[in-house]
Amino acid sequence: MSNDMNTPENPGHSMAGNLPQPASDRAGGAVASLDRDILISRIIDGEATPEDWAAFKALAAREPSVWRDLAECQQDHADLSAAVADATRLADSIDLPVEEARSEQLSRRFGRAMSWGGWAAAAVVALAFTTRGNNTGLGGNQASLVPAGITVSTPDQAYDAYLQLGREQDRVVEEVPTRILVETRALQDGSFEVRYIRQILERITVPSLYELGEDEAGRPVPIRVRGMVIEPPL
Amino acid sequence: MDEFGTEPDILGAQRAAAAMRGSTDALREVWQQHRRWIAGVLLAHKPRDVDLEDLLQDVALSLVKRIGDLRDPAAVRPWLRQVALNAARASGRRQQVRAPERLGLKLDAGDVASSIPGAPSGSIVDSISTEGREEGARLLAMARRLPEGYAEPLILRSVRGMSYREIGRVLDMPETTVETRIARARRMVREMVALDSGLKPLARIGVENEAGQTRAQLDQTPTPTGGEP
């Protein structure tokens, strides 16, 4: 590839008399050919100014064949655009895999928390958030969690009330629709007991962050996380 | 919604910023706004045997997972283009590992047919019925063979009429450069078509191909400036 392909071809734009000028040492005829090509391109692309049209007509008066070039280029552009439209139309059918990606990330984080030392370790990490954080939304009395006008008499109502209040206070981002199946058990009456995990994507701001590590003796100790991002933001 | 960002940049940047903060709706809007031209970028850079749909899904997944990596919301277009380029290159590396014997420089119109939804794998003659579509597929195959830096602007220009300015935003280059490259690319495609058809090439433009040959070298027969094909 020649150097000039990597440098901006950046001369004037709107005036036909100031068309982009390639390097003057190119092979003979190249400059005029490029001017002609740019004029045709501008016309095809609807970018031609009245000055461009005047220049084109003057050129056509000298070289009538330029009209044929214009027609052929216009046909090529139409055919190419149709082919590109055909090929790229499928992009409209590709939806963003938001839920899949978030479920995957949450599952990975959940698995990591468990790998740090099981459920107890995960609970310790959570405790480090809630006891040191500010405005976490937890720790208040039950009445403060229930938005006005909502009656809470079932776990589902309480859950919904939590989501609603969490969204209002910018704590809850969203509920992840995917539920993680833990186990199922057949009951004597023919029904099944299903144990599962609901996931809620939340955000809080904390003054400091700890993860569980080990000291020299292999005992679990909290380690302060400094200046690093554990996971990229969702 | 403005598909290609002719709206003021500030709105697109605000949408990207909301997506970075975790707004699912904003993230979806970012994708819907940009996915068509992303497909165009992939079309210009993808290896011949890689499905465009697979690459689009890769880019969509990367957008969800890595929107937080975006430093400047106003630069969402160049960032998305880079994500698309990375996806295309990664697929090329995977392809090299899997089947190096399938890599080749020759590209025929059948390559394009494989990227058109609903088109069966096979020759372009079998899969595209109308003359216009056949010619379009042939031109697209030619466009994809253009030297680095020329195929992408030309293909983006064909994505539902993206303007020079919009293409410049995506490629992060001046409009005048975009314009010149598109004009040259069109000339080169017409030359390739002429060569492919056994006709005399058009006027030379003095641009090198991948092998370092100029068009003048390729065409040993002197041709008057502006001559007929």
Side-chain angles (χ1 to χ4, degrees), chain A residues 1-14 19-23 26-34 36-47 52 63-66 68-70 72-73 75-102 104-105 108 173-174 201 203 232-234, chain B residues 3 19-24 27-28 31-32 35-36 39-40 43 52-53 56-57 59-61 63-69 112 115-117 131-133 135-137 139-140 143 147-150 154-155 157-160 162-165 174-184 186-187 189-190 202-210 212 216 225-229:
Chain A
M1 184 183 302
S2 65
N3 289 336
D4 68 291
M5 288 171 62
N6 290 324
T7 56
E9 301 94 318
N10 51 1
H13 180 252
S14 61
L19 284 167
Q21 298 295 316
R26 285 203 178 115
V31 173
S33 177
L34 181 59
R36 175 190 177 115
D37 292 342
I38 288 178
L39 266 182
I40 290 174
S41 255
R42 286 180 183 174
I43 292 170
I44 290 172
D45 294 334
E47 306 262 358
D52 291 331
E63 300 178 39
S65 64
V66 74
R68 181 178 157 187
D69 285 352
L70 175 63
E72 289 179 350
C73 284
Q75 182 65 53
D76 285 351
H77 175 63
D79 291 343
L80 180 60
S81 294
V84 170
D86 275 345
T88 58
R89 189 173 295 122
L90 65 84
D92 294 344
S93 65
I94 307 292
D95 290 325
L96 212 54
V98 177
E99 308 306 341
E100 292 86 340
R102 287 185 167 160
E104 179 187 324
Q105 285 191 320
R108 198 166 58 242
V173 177
E174 65 179 334
L201 181 63
R203 61 170 156 246
L234 288 174
Chain B
E3 186 171 3
M20 292 166 67
R21 289 194 300 269
S23 166
T24 302
L27 195 59
R28 286 200 171 97
W31 174 243
Q32 288 165 8
R35 59 188 173 187
R36 274 287 182 114
L43 202 56
L52 182 61
E53 184 173 1
L56 278 166
Q57 287 172 343
V59 174
L61 192 61
L63 172 61
V64 176
K65 287 183 171 179
R66 295 176 46 205
I67 185 68
D69 294 348
V112 183
S115 68
I116 297 177
E131 185 179 340
R133 291 188 74 188
E135 183 60 19
L139 290 169
L140 182 51
E148 178 81 18
Y150 288 86
L154 181 60
I155 289 176
R157 175 68 193 114
S158 302
V159 177
R160 293 175 65 176
M162 283 182 79
S163 69
Y164 296 160
R165 170 175 295 185
E175 286 178 55
T176 48
T177 304
V178 170
E179 176 186 60
T180 307
R181 291 199 180 186
I182 288 173
R184 284 177 168 170
R186 283 176 171 145
R187 164 66 62 169
V189 167
R190 294 194 69 205
L202 303 174
R204 299 175 299 275
I205 57 175
V207 176
E208 293 176 354
N209 65 2
E210 300 94 327
T225 298
E228 292 293 316

Side-chain angles (χ1 to χ4, degrees), chain A:
Chain A
M1 184 183 302
S2 65
N3 289 336
D4 68 291
M5 288 171 62
N6 290 324
T7 56
E9 301 94 318
N10 51 1
H13 180 252
S14 61
M15 298 294 290
N18 194 21
L19 284 167
Q21 298 295 316
S24 59
D25 57 353
R26 285 203 178 115
V31 173
S33 177
L34 181 59
D35 283 357
R36 175 190 177 115
D37 292 342
I38 288 178
L39 266 182
I40 290 174
S41 255
R42 286 180 183 174
I43 292 170
I44 290 172
D45 294 334
E47 306 262 358
T49 63
E51 290 82 5
D52 291 331
W53 273 108
F56 180 82
K57 288 173 181 172
L59 176 63
R62 297 192 304 273
E63 300 178 39
S65 64
V66 74
W67 287 108
R68 181 178 157 187
D69 285 352
L70 175 63
E72 289 179 350
C73 284
Q74 192 121 32
Q75 182 65 53
D76 285 351
H77 175 63
D79 291 343
L80 180 60
S81 294
V84 170
D86 275 345
T88 58
R89 189 173 295 122
L90 65 84
D92 294 344
S93 65
I94 307 292
D95 290 325
L96 212 54
V98 177
E99 308 306 341
E100 292 86 340
R102 287 185 167 160
S103 292
E104 179 187 324
Q105 285 191 320
L106 287 174
S107 297
R108 198 166 58 242
R109 292 181 190 185
F110 187 72
R112 176 183 297 178
M114 292 182 68
S115 70
W116 285 346
W119 286 89
V124 169
V125 174
L127 189 63
F129 284 160
T130 57
T131 56
R132 299 181 63 86
N134 53 1
N135 191 27
T136 62
L138 295 179
N141 58 41
Q142 176 68 21
S144 68
L145 287 175
V146 182
I150 295 181
T151 302
V152 174
S153 58
T154 68
D156 282 341
Q157 286 176 347
Y159 184 77
D160 291 341
Y162 177 75
L163 292 178
Q164 180 178 334
L165 187 63
R167 289 191 181 101
E168 290 172 358
Q169 297 187 358
D170 211 28
R171 164 72 181 269
V172 171
V173 177
E174 65 179 334
E175 181 187 13
V176 179
T178 306
R179 297 179 181 182
I180 299 175
L181 180 66
V182 176
E183 65 176 355
T184 61
R185 188 161 60 96
L187 302 179
Q188 287 186 340
D189 63 359
S191 59
F192 290 85
E193 177 184 288
V194 179
R195 298 189 177 191
Y196 61 91
I197 299 169
R198 281 180 168 177
Q199 302 173 100
I200 303 174
L201 181 63
E202 298 189 355
R203 61 170 156 246
I204 57 172
T205 302
V206 295
S208 57
L209 185 63
Y210 293 83
E211 64 179 76
L212 204 60
E214 288 183 352
D215 63 11
E216 296 82 354
R219 292 172 300 201
V221 293
I223 301 172
R224 186 168 186 172
V225 177
R226 296 177 184 277
M228 60 177 287
V229 176
I230 296 179
E231 285 284 341
L234 288 174

